[in-house]
């Protein structure tokens, strides 16, 4: 038996240690070769009378991140090819068998007649955790880096290698559904409490503890294969069982707005699977999994949220000929909400940080925000007091510019005003070395403008963090007209050190993300002016797939900032500035002092106790009121998505964004554009560019020229173009 990805090591007790250690990879992944080798190992363990059982573990720092999703993409390409050569029925049969190969393999292991134990170190996610679930005993490393979970829902799939059936038989049904719907990574204590693993152990004792279970007579049978087994929540049609499903369906509707076929299929797989014997349940799961695997939503989400995001996180857009830049010390000027967030994120990543403000006391106020954030993590059991102390020790507060000396990068995060930022840039350059990169965290101001204050514009770059910094995974790197490649590389290396995803955009007011966000907010404001009820505006935006409505998002951004941005764009003569939008913002900000969440009153009221509610006075600001029953809900949802997608398409055609991967990844990670579409440009390609142009034309005739497609977009549609290569889009 030749193995390239595993080490097969029997011990004197007849227990095999199977160590998964793929050559040339930092983490194990499930591939066709891995499945073939595991199949051979199962046969060997089952058939050799000398072998008493097997412990599977990893030779890497983590167990495994799961399956290679490129393998699943290839299944789709193979199906399309077989349809042409063999016909639809045979192609579908081959696709179904291929899609359930891993499920059948794990079931073969589970019923092999020999006890299997999983010794799980580090991360164990997705298909790898389904492997562990098929083992009869699971012991997890009891340390901070260890996690288990089934995150498939986040890329438009659901656990399809037995996960829905095993988890639903290990845990109460409601808990099992919640775990798979959220797709979260679960820490060791919670994993043990939930019954996902049998035991915890120090990393050095994992293998021995697993072997001891086999030596002690570990049974080679899963609970569901034993006579008399009953699921934790009882039979589906029992009173206890049926109490779960109405609530589960309601939660599904609330959380997905019925936009995610994988979530619905997961519900079906669990509901139907729990009513039949286990093997039939696996087949039901496989049927739904094969269907979802061929869905456009899964194809789009896998491409954007797995393939493209992975490529960008690995430096796919970093200047290749620039050597890696070691960033040890970061300066942050401005200890307000954004500056404090940047300092906290950098210190969390292990960097030394100088947090500078006009006084040390002001800087300490910013540092206090970091203290609160890490203290909240401690309260949730996600950090320890020693980690808080170490993190805060890495943040040096200062009130004098000289403290910035020795920083590798300095980011100014002061008020969004060109003259203020110019003064800060000159002060920074007066005290830092010639190789130090100076960056502006600006959300709208062109970097080329701001670089005019710099004596070395080739070392000046935009680094646009999103709010709140500690939670938002995207960062825009903005290239000014004179920004050099070393500055871009340094910015990318910093962002990747912070474990965030960078996208590279060319200079323009609003850059990429905020152009799209601006279109979204503006559309919501216009709808209020048209007389559409505020609650309908918000609810239909969420039904379209957005995480929050445009009015709630306006409050989060701050209404005075939204007004300033709109006025600034109008001062430049930007087309499409809506006087009705300005009237609404003036009425809220200038006349009533409603600034958004930051002062607890905006489109919503934010009481100190209880949740936010729409401000009743909004109706008085609307010039007219439409009967809700006369409003075309489908068109409202369409307007929200088309407005953003059109802004993204124009940004691509104008050269602000040059890579469709960045447009799509940026749209989902940066402002939550309907993830089930795969992002703004995938949304367009998914319906075809000619159809998108027709929709734009129709909306422009009814709602104005802001929806009119550009001449370049029309020409692209006439030529049958797409933002992704046609073959790539089809294969994905």
């Amino acid at each position: 038996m030749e193995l390239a990805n595993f080490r097969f090591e029997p011990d004197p007790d007849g227990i095999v240690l199977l160590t998964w250690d793929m050559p040339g990879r930092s983490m194990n992944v499930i591939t066709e070769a891995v499945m073939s080798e595991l199949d051979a190992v199962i046969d060997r363990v089952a058939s050799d009378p000398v072998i008493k059982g097997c412990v599977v573990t990893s030779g890497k720092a983590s167990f495994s991140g799961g399956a290679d999703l490129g393998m699943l993409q290839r299944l789709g390409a193979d199906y399309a090819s077989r349809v042409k050569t063999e016909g639809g029925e045979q192609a579908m049969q081959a696709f179904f068998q291929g899609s359930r190969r891993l499920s059948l393999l794990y079931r073969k292991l589970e019923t092999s007649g020999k006890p299997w134990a999983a010794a799980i170190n580090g991360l164990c996610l997705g298909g790898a955790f389904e492997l562990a679930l098929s083992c009869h005993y699971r012991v997890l490393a009891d340390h901070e880096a260890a996690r288990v979970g089934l995150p498939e829902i986040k890329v438009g799939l659901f656990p399809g290698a037995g996960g829905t059936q095993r988890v639903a038989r290990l845990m109460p049904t409601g808990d099992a559904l919640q775990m798979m719907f959220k797709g979260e990574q679960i820490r060791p204590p919670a994993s043990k409490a939930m019954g996902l693993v049998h035991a915890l152990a120090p990393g050095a004792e994992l293998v021995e503890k697993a072997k001891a279970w086999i030596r002690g007579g570990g049974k080679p049978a899963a609970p569901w294969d034993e006579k008399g087994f009953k699921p934790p929540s009882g039979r589906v049609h029992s009173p206890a069982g049926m109490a779960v499903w109405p609530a589960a369906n309601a939660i599904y509707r609330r959380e997905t707005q019925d936009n995610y076929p994988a979530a619905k299929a997961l519900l079906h797989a669990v509901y139907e699977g729990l009513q039949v014997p286990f093997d039939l349940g696996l087949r039901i799961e496989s049927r739904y999994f094969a269907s979802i695997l061929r869905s456009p939503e899964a194809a789009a989400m896998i491409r954007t949220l797995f393939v493209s995001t992975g490529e960008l996180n690995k430096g796919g857009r970093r200047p290749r000929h620039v050597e890696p830049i070691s960033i040890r010390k970061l300066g942050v000027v401005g200890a307000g909400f954004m500056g404090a967030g940047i300092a906290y994120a950098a210190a969390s990543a292990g960097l030394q940080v100088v947090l500078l403000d006009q006084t040390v006391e002001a800087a300490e106020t910013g540092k206090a925000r970091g203290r609160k954030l890490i203290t909240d993590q401690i309260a949730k059991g996600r950090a320890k007091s020693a980690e808080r102390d170490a993190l805060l020790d890495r943040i040096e507060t200062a009130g004098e510019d000289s403290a910035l000396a020795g920083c590798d990068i300095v980011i100014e995060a002061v008020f969004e005003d060109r003259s203020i930022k110019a003064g800060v840039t000159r002060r920074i350059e007066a005290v830092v070395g010639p190789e130090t990169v100076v960056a502006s965290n600006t959300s709208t101001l062109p970097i080329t403008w701001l670089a005019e204050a710099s004596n070395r514009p080739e070392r000046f770059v935009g680094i646009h963090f999103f709010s709140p910094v500690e939670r938002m995974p995207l960062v825009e790197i903005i290239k000014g007209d004179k920004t050099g490649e070393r500055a871009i590389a340094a910015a990318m290396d910093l962002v990747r050190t912070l474990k965030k995803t960078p996208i590279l955009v060319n200079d323009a007011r609003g850059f990429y993300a905020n152009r799209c966000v601006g279109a979204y907010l503006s559309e919501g404001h216009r709808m209020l002016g048209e007389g559409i009820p505020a609650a309908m505006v918000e609810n239909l935006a969420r039904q379209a797939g957005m995480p929050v409505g445009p009015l709630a998002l306006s409050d989060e951004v701050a209404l005075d900032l939204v007004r300033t941005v709109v006025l600034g764009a109008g001062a430049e003569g930007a087309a499409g500035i809506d006087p009705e939008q300005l009237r609404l913002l003036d009425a809220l900000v200038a006349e009533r002092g409603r600034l958004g969440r930051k002062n607890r009153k905006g489109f919503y009221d934010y009481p100190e106790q209880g949740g936010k509610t729409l401000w009743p006075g909004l109706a008085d600001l609307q010039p007219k009121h439409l009967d809700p029953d006369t409003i075309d809900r489908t068109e409202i949802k369409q307007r929200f998505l088309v407005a953003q997608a059109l802004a993204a398409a124009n940004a691509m055609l104008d050269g602000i964004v040059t890579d469709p991967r960045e447009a799509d990844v940026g749209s989902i990670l940066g402002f939550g554009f309907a993830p089930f579409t795969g992002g703004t440009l995938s949304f367009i390609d998914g319906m075809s560019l000619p159809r998108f142009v027709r929709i734009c034309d129709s909306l422009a005739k009814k709602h104005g020229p802001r929806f009119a497609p550009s001449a370049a977009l029309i020409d692209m549609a006439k030529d049958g173009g797409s933002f992704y290569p046609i073959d790539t889009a089809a294969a994905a």
Side-chain angles (χ1 to χ4, degrees), residues 208-243:
E208 177 51 36
K209 193 171 186 70
K211 285 188 173 185
W213 174 80
I214 295 175
R215 282 196 298 268
K219 293 181 66 174
W224 37 89
D225 287 325
E226 299 206 69
K227 187 175 181 180
F229 171 77
K230 294 180 181 179
S233 293
R235 301 172 72 88
V236 166
H237 291 289
S238 68
M242 287 308 294

Side-chain angles (χ1 to χ4, degrees), residues 74-274:
R74 290 189 290 276
L75 268 177
D78 179 68
Y79 169 77
S81 176
R82 284 176 179 269
V83 167
K84 296 176 182 177
T85 59
E86 302 174 13
E89 184 175 345
Q90 286 186 300
M92 192 64 242
Q93 288 178 353
F95 181 82
F96 177 64
Q97 291 304 318
S99 68
R100 72 183 309 231
R101 181 183 175 191
L102 196 59
S103 179
L104 293 173
L105 181 64
Y106 291 168
R107 185 57 173 158
K108 180 179 177 180
L109 179 154
E110 190 172 49
T111 58
S112 65
K114 298 286 181 71
W116 284 72
I120 307 167
N121 56 310
L123 290 177
C124 182
L125 304 175
F129 186 48
E130 289 177 290
L131 167 61
L133 288 170
S134 70
C135 292
H136 308 104
Y137 183 77
R138 295 171 292 282
V139 55
L140 175 64
D142 190 11
H143 61 73
E144 183 58 28
R147 299 284 192 281
V148 300
L150 297 170
E152 289 90 340
I153 201 75
K154 295 183 177 182
V155 291
L157 298 173
F158 70 90
T164 66
Q165 303 307 300
R166 292 186 174 93
V167 170
R169 286 167 171 80
L170 285 172
M171 301 163 59
T173 306
D175 295 341
L177 290 172
Q178 184 178 48
M179 173 201 164
M180 291 184 281
F181 275 151
K182 287 185 174 182
E184 293 178 341
Q185 298 180 14
I186 303 169
R187 295 166 183 268
S191 301
K192 175 70 163 55
M194 294 163 73
L196 294 171
V197 300
H198 297 90
L200 305 179
E205 299 173 17
L206 279 176
V207 170
E208 177 51 36
K209 193 171 186 70
K211 285 188 173 185
W213 174 80
I214 295 175
R215 282 196 298 268
K219 293 181 66 174
W224 37 89
D225 287 325
E226 299 206 69
K227 187 175 181 180
F229 171 77
K230 294 180 181 179
S233 293
R235 301 172 72 88
V236 166
H237 291 289
S238 68
M242 287 308 294
V244 171
W245 293 100
N249 191 55
I251 292 169
Y252 155 75
R253 297 280 180 179
R254 183 191 70 196
E255 296 298 320
T256 71
Q257 302 294 335
D258 218 15
N259 287 321
Y260 295 86
K264 190 172 186 177
L266 192 158
L267 270 181
H268 277 287
V270 173
Y271 177 75
E272 296 170 26
L274 283 176

